[in-house]
Amino acid sequence: MALPTSKYLAGSLGFFLFVVSSVSTAEAAVTCPDRDPELEIWNPGHNKENRVEIRSGRKLLLSSSATVHSIHITDGGKLVIKDDVQPIILRTRHILIENDGELHIGSELCPYQANVVIILYGRADDGSQPNPYFGQKYLGVSKGGTLEIHGKKKLSWTFLNKTLHPGGMEEGGYYFERSWGHRGVIVHVIDPKTGAVVHSDRFDTYRAKEESIRLAQYLGTVANGMILSVAVNDEGSRNLDDLARKAMTRLGSKHFLHLGFRHPWSFITIKGNPSSSVEDHIEYQGHKGSAVAKVFKLFKAENGEHFNVSSTSEWVQDVEWTEWFEKPDKARSKDMEKLSDFKAAHPDKICRQPIDIQAMTLDGVNLTTEVFYKSGHDYQFLCHGKDQTGEGCRNYRVRFLCGKSVKPKLTVTIDTNVNSTILNLVDDVSSWKPGDRLVVASTDYSMYQAEEFQVLPCRTCRPTQVKVAGKATYLHMGEVVDGVDMRAEVGLLSRNIVVMGEMEQQCYEYSSKLCSFFDFDTFGGHIKIGLDFKATHIEGLELKYMGQQTMGHYPIHFHMAGDVDEKGGYNPPTYVKDTSIHNTFSRCVTVHGSNGLLVKDVVGYDALGHCFFTEDGPEERNTFDHCLGLLVKPSTLLPSDRDSRMCKLITEGAYPGYIPKPRQDCSAVSTFWIANPHNNLINCAAAGSEETGFWFVLHHVPTGPSAGMYSPGYSEHMPMGRFSNNRAHSNYRAGMIIDNGVKTTPASAKDKRPILTLISGRYSPHKDADPLKPREPAIIERFIAYKNQDHGAWLRGGDVWLDNCQFADNGIGLTLASGGTFPHDDGSKQEIKNSLFVGESGNLGTETIDNEIWGPGGLDHRGRTLPIGPDFPIRGIQFYDGPINVQNCTFRKFAALDGRHTSALAFRLNNAWQSCPNNNVTGIHFEDVPITSRVFFGEPGPWFNDLDMDGDKTSVFHDVDGSVSEYPGSYLIKEDNWLIKHPDCIDVPDWRGSICSGHFAQIYIQAYKPANLKMKIIKNDYHNHPLYLEGALSKSTHYQQYQPVITLRKGYTIHWDKTAPEELAIWLINFNKNDWIQVGFCYPKGTTFSILSDIHNRLLKKTYKTGTFYRTSQMEKLEHRYPTKGYYYWDEDTGLLFLKLKAQNEKEKFAFCSVKGCERIRIKAVIPKTAGVSDCEATAYPKYIETPIVEVPMPKKLSSAQLKTKDHLIEVKIETYKKQYFHLKDDFAYIEVDGVRFFLTDEGIQLVVIDGHHGKVVDRVTFKNSILQGIPAQIENYVNNIKDHSIVLVTSKGRLISRGPWTKILEKLGAGEGFRLKEKMAFVGFKGSFRPVWVKLVTNEESAKIYQALPIPVVKKMKL
């Protein structure tokens, strides 16, 4: 961040223009404040001691530049800045306006046309007395004060209307950069007709001679006339053989033949024309020296455009300053200071041979250092300055500039030969004039790709074009890409009225540890407007170097001003419009305890801390309209402003012993930080923050000076204002977040975190912010989120509904969350409809070191920037909590690779919390999404870890119309969740899921005494498939909780890894009236029980006892469940306590609990002290085994005519089993494909062959056991003649010939080696060059069965 001094004044005003007002003299006298005949010309000159008082009705007109100590406008005084041709520069420590004082620069009807700069000067430590309310370096408006600033009318910001390519090329352009990890010879092949890179490759000729051979062969295949750019990165000579050296020599190289160890070398030529070559070569200078070989060459494209190709191969030595060190206590030098003394006092912190040295006094005054070199690597230095003597340096500290070890760097650039660029824009920008500065936002993951430009004169430009100096380094999109508007924002930074801070050249400590985080001065100016001001209207203003790293001092700050619109008596209402705020040191616009402010057409750029900031929680009815914020960086002020390093080092306000958790407590800096949802955000853009674009955070009670302004919980229930047509991109954590609160209590022994750290929070909007009144959904309309590294949006709350939104190129497009255990606002839901999700768009980004993650895309394998990691599982919508409704949404370009599990629909990774069976999807459309990438439930491995957390195991959603699975009304579940699986479920191996039917609910079990148990739950009809649950809570809590999804009207048993808990609370979740399950809880023998039922109203926090359970000796009596009375059956032999859990009350559609509250059964057990592990599985089964029954038939698969995509699933069923009719036994076997069943009549095997391209059955054949027992030539020939890319289904009937040569055909079809066949077999195989994940062999003695849905066409995933 470049810092200004008073030298700024001369150079920066050279381009100011004078515009003659067209208003008549009479009109001007009324509307233009400087035409007031009562004004007195005032030219105070330059005197830093002049404390100006403008009072007692005096009216002054400043008509020339001036320097004063300060200006106080009060008691009816008035200061007007003259609108004239001569630029005016006013330097002052501060300006205070109060008690009917007024400052005017133009007016709304007569905007200021000349140029004026107000410079606020002074250091924090210069001894001046700060104002107790405003501080230092301020423009302050207090009670009765008027501030009117109205600059020229200029367009604030717009969008690119044509993509801006790197290097300024009309089409294409290229920038390539590599360092460590990309060793060898790197070749680019460039089309001379267009300047486009048509191919590139890297040859690691350091590692292997084979790479040298491959390089020579590669160069031979390049067509004559193509441009070749070849360079070495790091090292490429060790295994470089003569074949490659001579091949390069034939192309025109003179130095490649003698290339040595780590030599930088660059070369450009036209293949077939050696005389066109340009080359540079230099020897390696060692690990402490830079070396560079650079070449460039000019070419002319087919369209007449000239372009440069440049290549640089180098070793770069970076340098950095050490921290500041005070004079060592043991230093004894009398006339000079010794470097060795510092090294001894600070081991490993100072380099052997510093490049430079800086010294200053402990008070911050710079000193001149004179260095005297001595023997070896030690040297001495002397300080020159005030209070320094010839006897060494006194009262000082020092830092050293150290060089790092060199690192390799290779760059290839293709750009225009003209050092200017035409920007094509959406709106009329004729108000932007030569000399104006612009910023073009990043359209990639890194916000640091925002680029600044200066406008140049351009006679031929249309009104929607400007010419700017220089060329773009990065790709900036200027178009709608795959249906998502990714046009880069272009903001105006220059205005003709400037208020700015005058800065020092380097950082100094005016607040604790500042210079540990910043290497520049952060003590800027600030504007503050307080309570009962008379009028404030700001437009056409530029603010730069404003804000301070102290609380309350921001570029524009409305502080506890109350209602500033008509409600507060302000007419016209207060506003900040058409303002550019950049290079700020603390926020952009702060609204603190103020309501009804209009902030419109404001650009905030390169800011520290939350940019557009509402502070304490009571701020309401403020409107942010068409505001742009970008390049928002961390700040030290609040925990939420801080990055991880700041969070660890700044612990003021914390209780002793506090250990920060940065990603939980801090790390939330946002472009728009909204502390109360009842504010309006319209047409705004959050175009790059270290963390988040828009963050709605909740203050349970108001904080700071606003304490007591509303009752606890008010903001959590406040309906959201209007949120429409906003966009967020290039943010690290998320484009938008609704979640979390801030800690509103001071640190204590119980909670050591400082006040205002992030905590949990739940948003549930209701009418009048009253949770007992009807819900009012928060509506998010036309929101766009793209190229956010983690999330497009993470929205947690009650009713939060999105409509007509767009998400693209985010790590995770959208997560809708409710509350973990329960929705915080029971009966609410999250919803998204009519929206678009794009996994990997045509916005490929720019391959640079700044974009650390570059890899192949899923659909076309082209290189592109990627979020988070090359193998990160990109997801469109992530299911979490619930209930969630996804309706009429389109998913485009989600394609997994072998090694990257991209999917349109998925689930939260490493999830410990409940998954709701009422998560509904309907009307889903897929475009360029392979059917294998529609859904992914996860698998153990990178990012998913062991996939063994409770929420991972219970994932489920409802495919209402079959638009995802092709089975209307089905439920998609994890493939191994036997609690909700039944015999007719169909596995989809590509999804690691199954398609099922049924009626599902949840039980929520709280276990007390002890609270650290693992629970095992078994469904009686699949007793061999228990589900193990760890519990969602940490082991330090006083209870543990488990929340499995279960199939209704079934029997279960529950077991523990230690002695059973003494207390259990079982909540019936998502049970409709009369829904039931029967559960046997394992307890030790000798246990006695007390069991009752109650209803807990979570909203009112009241509990009502409803009944008691009595022991019965008859299991059948459990059916007699009444509202006030029930029975339990204690089977002491097996150790199972049986209860029938039956809902007694109705519930709302999306509610977890009944209309009366949550129905619970509470068990208190008196357990013998000597009891062991409470695992009754061995005694419970086979006694309580149930026969698997399909309660809800599987829905019929959609017909091909009903499908919306060409790729689809085919349903295959293979089943073979022994069947017994009384005393008669028979075998039964068939293969079924999409409802067409092929029975096997003879003993042997049957093969059904399916075309893997179209899904049609192409052949069916039977091989009897007699053939299998003999020479297998017949079956081998048949399999060999099956066309590649065929699905082959196999089943057996009768006693299978389980051994013999014929079994080799199963290996050819993907079964692998080492299998052992039993009497019955079912097999899904594939004839082709790869093995799909769905190839499966099942073999048992009594039966074998496979139900699967397979993707058509069968496509091999490309490797990551």
Side-chain angles (χ1 to χ4, degrees):
M1 181 182 292
L3 300 177
T5 65
S6 55
K7 293 179 182 178
Y8 160 87
L9 309 178
S12 64
L13 298 174
F15 59 82
F16 286 157
L17 301 177
F18 175 69
V19 180
V20 179
S21 175
S22 61
V23 298
S24 68
T25 303
E27 291 172 331
V30 176
T31 60
C32 300
D34 65 326
R35 305 292 180 87
D36 185 348
E38 297 182 5
L39 291 171
E40 170 188 348
I41 297 294
W42 180 57
N43 296 307
H46 299 277
N47 180 359
K48 284 190 174 183
E49 303 303 319
N50 184 5
R51 301 172 185 262
V52 176
E53 293 282 336
I54 304 175
R55 58 172 64 239
S56 302
R58 192 178 181 193
K59 299 180 180 180
L60 301 183
L61 180 66
L62 179 64
S63 57
S64 63
S65 297
T67 301
V68 298
H69 177 278
S70 56
I71 300 175
H72 185 199
I73 310 171
T74 186
D75 297 336
K78 184 176 184 179
L79 176 62
V80 179
I81 309 298
K82 183 175 176 55
D83 197 351
D84 208 334
V85 66
Q86 184 66 34
I88 294 174
I89 302 165
L90 173 60
R91 296 181 70 243
T92 178
R93 286 182 174 273
H94 64 256
I95 300 173
L96 175 59
I97 310 165
E98 60 182 350
N99 299 329
D100 294 325
E102 300 180 17
L103 172 61
H104 294 263
I105 309 176
S107 69
E108 191 167 351
L109 296 177
C110 183
Y112 193 82
Q113 298 298 312
N115 298 283
V116 60
V117 180
I118 298 176
I119 299 176
L120 301 169
Y121 69 87
R123 289 173 55 104
D125 57 1
D126 61 9
S128 61
Q129 187 65 34
N131 182 287
Y133 185 78
F134 291 102
Q136 297 171 257
K137 257 172 125 169
Y138 63 86
L139 195 168
V141 184
S142 190
K143 183 177 182 179
T146 295
L147 176 64
E148 297 286 347
I149 297 177
H150 303 271
K152 283 182 183 177
K153 301 289 186 183
K154 289 193 171 191
L155 183 71
S156 180
W157 64 278
T158 183
F159 297 101
L160 284 179
N161 204 30
K162 185 177 182 181
T163 295
L164 180 60
H165 294 274
M169 298 284 288
E170 183 72 16
E171 300 290 341
Y174 189 72
Y175 183 81
F176 176 90
E177 186 174 326
R178 286 293 181 269
S179 184
W180 295 115
H182 299 271
R183 179 183 56 208
V185 179
I186 297 179
V187 181
H188 284 79
V189 182
I190 303 162
D191 186 346
K193 296 180 180 180
T194 63
V197 174
V198 295
H199 198 267
S200 65
D201 206 343
R202 177 174 69 92
F203 304 87
D204 192 350
T205 50
Y206 172 85
R207 180 180 60 83
K209 286 191 181 297
E210 290 80 5
E211 287 289 278
S212 185
I213 296 170
R214 194 169 69 88
L215 170 62
Q217 293 172 342
Y218 181 89
L219 294 173
T221 62
V222 176
N224 283 343
M226 301 300 283
I227 301 168
L228 280 168
S229 171
V230 193
V232 171
N233 186 54
D234 190 351
E235 214 296 300
S237 66
R238 192 174 77 167
N239 279 296
L240 192 64
D241 67 2
D242 286 346
L243 186 67
R245 292 179 186 269
K246 290 177 180 178
M248 202 69 70
T249 301
R250 288 193 295 272
L251 292 174
S253 170
K254 294 182 174 61
H255 299 286
F256 197 73
L257 195 63
H258 308 290
L259 187 71
F261 178 73
R262 285 190 166 179
H263 287 189
W265 174 81
S266 292
F267 176 70
I268 297 173
T269 190
I270 298 174
K271 176 77 181 291
N273 184 6
S275 63
S276 67
S277 303
V278 290
E279 185 176 22
D280 195 12
H281 168 250
I282 190 171
E283 292 187 358
Y284 178 56
Q285 303 298 307
H287 71 282
K288 284 292 184 180
S290 297
V292 58
K294 182 174 183 179
V295 293
F296 64 92
K297 190 172 180 65
L298 183 65
F299 298 91
K300 186 176 182 180
E302 195 172 49
N303 63 3
E305 182 182 24
H306 287 85
F307 64 92
N308 281 317
V309 177
S310 62
S311 173
T312 304
S313 169
E314 59 185 319
W315 288 95
V316 182
Q317 184 182 36
D318 292 333
V319 295
E320 66 178 355
W321 287 101
T322 66
E323 60 188 281
W324 289 96
F325 303 111
E326 295 187 10
K327 181 175 180 176
D329 294 335
K330 295 183 180 180
R332 293 286 184 266
S333 56
K334 294 183 179 180
D335 53 352
M336 293 183 188
E337 306 302 316
K338 295 182 67 177
L339 176 63
S340 56
D341 291 337
F342 284 88
K343 289 181 177 179
H346 306 283
D348 302 323
K349 291 189 175 182
I350 303 171
C351 52
R352 294 178 64 195
Q353 290 180 299
I355 298 169
D356 198 3
I357 180 174
Q358 287 183 347
M360 66 166 59
T361 68
L362 296 180
D363 297 329
V365 178
N366 291 333
L367 302 172
T368 302
T369 53
E370 184 177 358
V371 177
F372 298 85
Y373 284 86
K374 296 294 183 182
S375 61
H377 294 295
D378 195 15
Y379 63 80
Q380 298 177 331
F381 60 89
L382 183 64
C383 304
H384 299 287
K386 185 180 180 182
D387 299 328
Q388 303 298 311
T389 69
E391 298 181 355
C393 301
R394 300 163 58 90
N395 186 32
Y396 79 100
R397 58 182 177 175
V398 67
R399 67 176 181 173
F400 304 92
L401 185 65
C402 292
K404 297 181 180 180
S405 295
V406 293
K407 64 179 181 181
K409 182 180 178 182
L410 182 145
T411 57
V412 177
T413 305
I414 304 173
D415 57 15
T416 62
N417 191 43
V418 179
N419 197 28
S420 63
T421 306
I422 300 293
L423 303 184
N424 292 273
L425 304 159
V426 169
D427 296 300
D428 186 333
V429 291
S430 53
S431 60
W432 295 356
K433 302 300 180 184
D436 284 346
R437 293 202 62 80
L438 311 175
V439 60
V440 180
S442 168
T443 55
D444 209 343
Y445 294 109
S446 173
M447 70 175 183
Y448 292 99
Q449 292 185 19
E451 301 189 66
E452 294 183 45
F453 298 96
Q454 183 169 321
V455 177
L456 298 175
C458 181
R459 293 183 179 179
T460 60
C461 287
R462 299 190 298 272
T464 55
Q465 292 179 318
V466 289
K467 187 177 185 180
V468 297
K471 295 170 283 191
T473 302
Y474 307 103
L475 177 73
H476 300 270
M477 300 306 297
E479 56 196 271
V480 174
V481 185
D482 294 309
V484 178
D485 186 353
M486 297 190 188
R487 295 174 297 178
E489 299 84 1
V490 183
L492 175 68
L493 301 180
S494 303
R495 298 284 180 172
N496 66 314
I497 302 174
V498 180
V499 177
M500 60 178 286
E502 185 175 287
M503 312 306 294
E504 299 296 316
Q505 285 296 310
Q506 61 193 26
C507 180
Y508 63 94
E509 301 276 5
Y510 63 87
S511 183
S512 177
K513 301 177 183 175
L514 267 184
C515 298
S516 300
F517 309 117
F518 309 112
D519 60 1
F520 49 86
D521 182 9
T522 59
F523 194 71
H526 67 105
I527 297 175
K528 188 172 185 178
I529 298 99
L531 180 65
D532 292 331
F533 65 89
K534 190 172 183 178
T536 295
H537 301 97
I538 297 173
E539 58 184 332
L541 175 64
E542 177 184 350
L543 296 171
K544 62 190 298 185
Y545 312 121
M546 299 286 279
Q548 301 166 8
Q549 283 293 294
T550 54
M551 294 293 290
H553 306 117
Y554 316 120
I556 297 179
H557 180 196
F558 284 83
H559 180 74
M560 305 304 295
D563 297 319
V564 299
D565 54 2
E566 294 95 335
K567 188 174 180 180
Y570 291 93
N571 194 8
T574 310
Y575 60 73
V576 177
K577 299 192 299 186
D578 300 303
T579 294
S580 302
I581 308 170
H582 61 94
N583 301 95
T584 82
F585 308 120
S586 183
R587 319 209 184 288
C588 302
V589 177
T590 295
V591 183
H592 184 189
S594 305
N595 312 308
L597 178 66
L598 174 63
V599 182
K600 185 175 182 180
D601 292 312
V602 174
V603 174
Y605 166 63
D606 198 357
L608 301 182
H610 307 303
C611 186
F612 297 94
F613 178 62
T614 60
E615 190 156 348
D616 282 347
E619 299 84 12
E620 297 181 0
R621 297 184 292 99
N622 301 290
T623 296
F624 298 90
D625 185 359
H626 200 249
C627 294
L628 166 64
L630 62 165
L631 206 64
V632 178
K633 305 172 185 176
S635 160
T636 64
L637 293 189
L638 296 178
S640 57
D641 285 309
R642 298 170 191 153
D643 62 16
S644 294
R645 181 167 170 263
M646 295 172 180
C647 193
K648 292 176 182 178
L649 295 179
I650 303 173
T651 57
E652 284 83 358
Y655 195 82
Y658 166 64
I659 300 175
K661 297 178 180 177
R663 296 305 295 174
Q664 295 179 30
D665 300 348
C666 309
S667 302
V669 65
S670 303
T671 306
F672 294 85
W673 181 262
I674 308 301
N676 185 311
H678 193 46
N679 290 286
N680 304 309
L681 290 105
I682 309 163
N683 308 316
C684 292
S689 166
E690 283 277 333
E691 293 293 341
T692 300
F694 301 88
W695 196 318
F696 286 82
V697 70
L698 306 168
H699 286 240
H700 183 67
V701 295
T703 53
S706 305
M709 293 183 71
Y710 59 73
S711 58
Y714 175 83
S715 71
E716 285 119 306
H717 301 299
M718 175 60 70
M720 183 178 284
R722 188 180 173 198
F723 190 94
S724 178
N725 204 38
N726 299 301
R727 50 199 282 126
H729 59 88
S730 311
N731 300 287
Y732 174 74
R733 180 182 289 207
M736 181 182 180
I737 291 178
I738 300 176
D739 200 356
N740 297 102
V742 293
K743 186 171 180 279
T744 57
T745 56
S748 63
K750 185 177 180 181
D751 188 342
K752 297 179 180 180
R753 296 172 296 180
I755 193 170
L756 299 180
T757 52
L758 286 181
I759 60 172
S760 63
R762 298 291 184 266
Y763 180 49
S764 51
H766 282 253
K767 183 178 181 180
D768 301 328
D770 184 346
L772 298 178
K773 292 185 178 180
R775 289 184 289 269
E776 284 196 6
I779 306 296
I780 297 167
E781 300 178 291
R782 297 190 299 280
F783 177 59
I784 299 172
Y786 71 90
K787 291 283 184 178
N788 298 289
Q789 286 193 45
D790 196 338
H791 266 82
W794 169 285
L795 309 177
R796 186 193 292 276
D799 286 294
V800 178
W801 298 357
L802 298 91
D803 189 10
N804 196 19
C805 298
Q806 299 173 1
F807 298 87
D809 295 317
N810 305 291
I812 302 160
L814 173 66
T815 296
L816 296 171
S818 59
T821 305
F822 295 95
H824 186 68
D825 186 10
D826 196 25
S828 64
K829 71 177 188 297
Q830 289 86 50
E831 176 180 279
I832 181 165
K833 61 183 182 180
N834 308 320
S835 295
L836 171 64
F837 293 82
V838 179
E840 296 174 338
S841 78
N843 178 358
L844 301 181
T846 309
E847 185 178 12
T848 68
I849 288 179
D850 183 54
N851 279 324
E852 297 178 359
I853 303 165
W854 180 270
L859 280 173
D860 54 17
H861 226 238
R862 282 196 297 171
R864 60 182 302 115
T865 53
L866 294 165
I868 304 180
D871 58 350
F872 181 77
I874 297 167
R875 284 154 281 166
I877 285 183
Q878 175 176 261
F879 290 103
Y880 183 45
D881 297 344
I884 295 164
N885 187 45
V886 183
Q887 180 181 344
N888 194 35
C889 290
T890 297
F891 293 84
R892 186 174 290 157
K893 290 189 174 180
F894 288 87
L897 293 175
D898 184 0
R900 184 196 303 149
H901 295 299
T902 297
S903 62
L905 301 168
F907 299 84
R908 186 161 190 235
L909 304 179
N910 307 305
N911 177 25
W913 301 97
Q914 60 92 8
S915 183
C916 174
N918 288 341
N919 291 331
N920 300 324
V921 299
T922 182
I924 305 302
H925 308 270
F926 296 100
E927 299 173 5
D928 289 326
V929 178
I931 200 163
T932 53
S933 298
R934 289 186 180 184
V935 183
F936 193 67
F937 281 82
E939 67 177 10
W943 302 103
F944 297 91
N945 295 325
D946 295 329
L947 201 71
D948 63 350
M949 300 184 77
D950 290 4
D952 299 330
K953 299 173 182 178
T954 59
S955 304
V956 58
F957 70 88
H958 187 198
D959 186 7
V960 177
D961 63 347
S963 55
V964 176
S965 67
E966 303 177 7
Y967 289 81
S970 65
Y971 287 82
L972 273 62
I973 70 169
K974 194 167 181 292
E975 62 187 352
D976 57 357
N977 185 359
W978 295 92
L979 292 189
I980 53 178
K981 227 173 169 180
H982 61 63
D984 287 355
C985 291
I986 299 169
D987 293 336
V988 189
D990 286 283
W991 299 349
R992 313 302 191 267
S994 297
I995 303 168
C996 285
S997 59
H999 295 306
F1000 305 117
Q1002 295 156 277
I1003 50 172
Y1004 168 41
I1005 298 175
Q1006 294 172 315
Y1008 303 79
K1009 303 176 186 179
N1012 60 349
L1013 302 181
K1014 294 181 181 179
M1015 188 182 91
K1016 176 169 64 175
I1017 180 170
I1018 303 171
K1019 186 154 67 100
N1020 293 340
D1021 55 6
Y1022 283 105
H1023 70 282
N1024 290 326
H1025 299 283
L1027 182 69
Y1028 295 88
L1029 299 177
E1030 297 276 341
L1033 305 181
S1034 69
K1035 303 304 180 185
S1036 61
T1037 53
H1038 69 286
Y1039 71 91
Q1040 189 52 271
Q1041 67 177 46
Y1042 317 87
Q1043 198 163 352
V1045 179
I1046 47 87
T1047 305
L1048 291 166
R1049 301 176 186 175
K1050 296 288 182 179
Y1052 302 83
T1053 60
I1054 289 178
H1055 314 265
W1056 312 95
D1057 67 332
K1058 298 175 185 176
T1059 303
E1062 296 178 20
E1063 296 183 22
L1064 285 178
I1066 304 104
W1067 305 53
L1068 307 187
I1069 305 300
N1070 280 304
F1071 278 61
N1072 290 302
K1073 186 176 182 179
N1074 294 323
D1075 284 345
W1076 61 270
I1077 59 171
Q1078 184 169 293
V1079 184
F1081 297 91
C1082 182
Y1083 285 97
K1085 289 184 178 181
T1087 303
T1088 59
F1089 306 96
S1090 173
I1091 306 173
L1092 58 83
S1093 61
D1094 63 25
I1095 287 180
H1096 177 67
N1097 189 308
R1098 296 171 58 239
L1099 182 60
L1100 300 177
K1101 297 181 179 179
K1102 292 183 179 180
T1103 301
Y1104 311 90
K1105 179 181 176 181
T1106 58
T1108 303
F1109 286 77
Y1110 300 93
R1111 184 172 181 176
T1112 178
S1113 59
Q1114 300 173 334
M1115 177 77 87
E1116 296 78 13
K1117 206 166 182 180
L1118 296 183
E1119 299 293 329
H1120 301 286
R1121 174 73 172 95
Y1122 307 102
T1124 61
K1125 184 179 180 180
Y1127 294 93
Y1128 68 88
Y1129 176 72
W1130 172 225
D1131 182 352
E1132 198 158 4
D1133 291 336
T1134 61
L1136 291 173
L1137 168 71
F1138 285 97
L1139 289 167
K1140 186 166 186 178
L1141 309 180
K1142 184 177 182 180
Q1144 304 296 310
N1145 300 287
E1146 302 285 354
K1147 80 172 187 72
E1148 295 178 0
K1149 182 177 181 181
F1150 293 104
F1152 272 36
C1153 296
S1154 78
V1155 291
K1156 293 185 177 180
C1158 297
E1159 299 185 40
R1160 307 186 301 186
I1161 290 86
R1162 303 179 68 88
I1163 303 173
K1164 288 189 177 181
V1166 179
I1167 300 174
K1169 292 183 179 180
T1170 58
V1173 174
S1174 297
D1175 188 340
C1176 308
E1177 181 180 0
T1179 56
Y1181 304 102
K1183 183 175 181 179
Y1184 292 111
I1185 287 177
E1186 298 174 14
T1187 301
I1189 297 174
V1190 180
E1191 296 279 350
V1192 179
M1194 282 290 291
K1196 184 178 179 182
K1197 186 174 178 289
L1198 293 173
S1199 67
S1200 57
Q1202 294 172 295
L1203 299 178
K1204 301 174 183 176
T1205 59
K1206 291 183 179 179
D1207 58 345
H1208 60 280
L1209 297 173
I1210 59 166
E1211 178 187 284
V1212 301
K1213 295 180 179 180
I1214 307 173
E1215 197 164 5
T1216 176
Y1217 56 89
K1218 295 178 180 178
K1219 199 168 185 180
Q1220 183 168 347
Y1221 299 93
F1222 300 102
H1223 62 285
L1224 299 176
K1225 293 184 178 180
D1226 191 14
D1227 278 345
F1228 186 77
Y1230 69 89
I1231 294 174
E1232 181 178 305
V1233 180
D1234 274 346
V1236 179
R1237 185 168 289 190
F1238 305 99
F1239 289 99
L1240 181 56
T1241 55
D1242 298 320
E1243 290 194 357
I1245 64 171
Q1246 176 179 240
L1247 281 71
V1248 173
V1249 181
I1250 303 170
D1251 177 1
H1253 296 286
H1254 307 290
K1256 303 297 183 183
V1257 174
V1258 295
D1259 199 14
R1260 170 196 174 205
V1261 65
T1262 298
F1263 294 96
K1264 296 181 180 181
N1265 277 344
S1266 57
I1267 295 175
L1268 302 181
Q1269 288 174 325
I1271 298 173
Q1274 185 176 348
I1275 189 170
E1276 284 183 356
N1277 290 336
Y1278 180 83
V1279 171
N1280 289 337
N1281 288 324
I1282 294 174
K1283 289 184 178 180
D1284 274 356
H1285 222 77
S1286 294
I1287 301 166
V1288 183
L1289 310 179
V1290 187
T1291 191
S1292 66
K1293 183 179 180 182
R1295 189 173 183 85
L1296 178 66
I1297 306 302
S1298 58
R1299 296 182 182 182
W1302 81 267
T1303 61
K1304 292 290 184 182
I1305 66 116
L1306 299 180
E1307 292 182 17
K1308 291 183 179 181
L1309 298 175
E1313 298 179 358
F1315 60 85
R1316 296 187 64 180
L1317 295 179
K1318 298 179 182 178
E1319 187 166 333
K1320 301 298 179 185
M1321 177 193 69
F1323 177 60
V1324 177
F1326 181 71
K1327 174 90 181 291
S1329 60
F1330 62 100
R1331 185 181 189 274
V1333 69
W1334 39 259
V1335 170
K1336 185 176 183 178
L1337 172 66
V1338 176
T1339 180
N1340 286 298
E1341 297 298 342
E1342 298 295 325
S1343 65
K1345 173 182 174 181
I1346 297 176
Y1347 282 13
Q1348 283 188 350
L1350 307 182
I1352 297 297
V1354 181
V1355 178
K1356 182 181 180 181
K1357 291 179 183 176
M1358 291 183 284
K1359 286 278 188 181
L1360 177 61

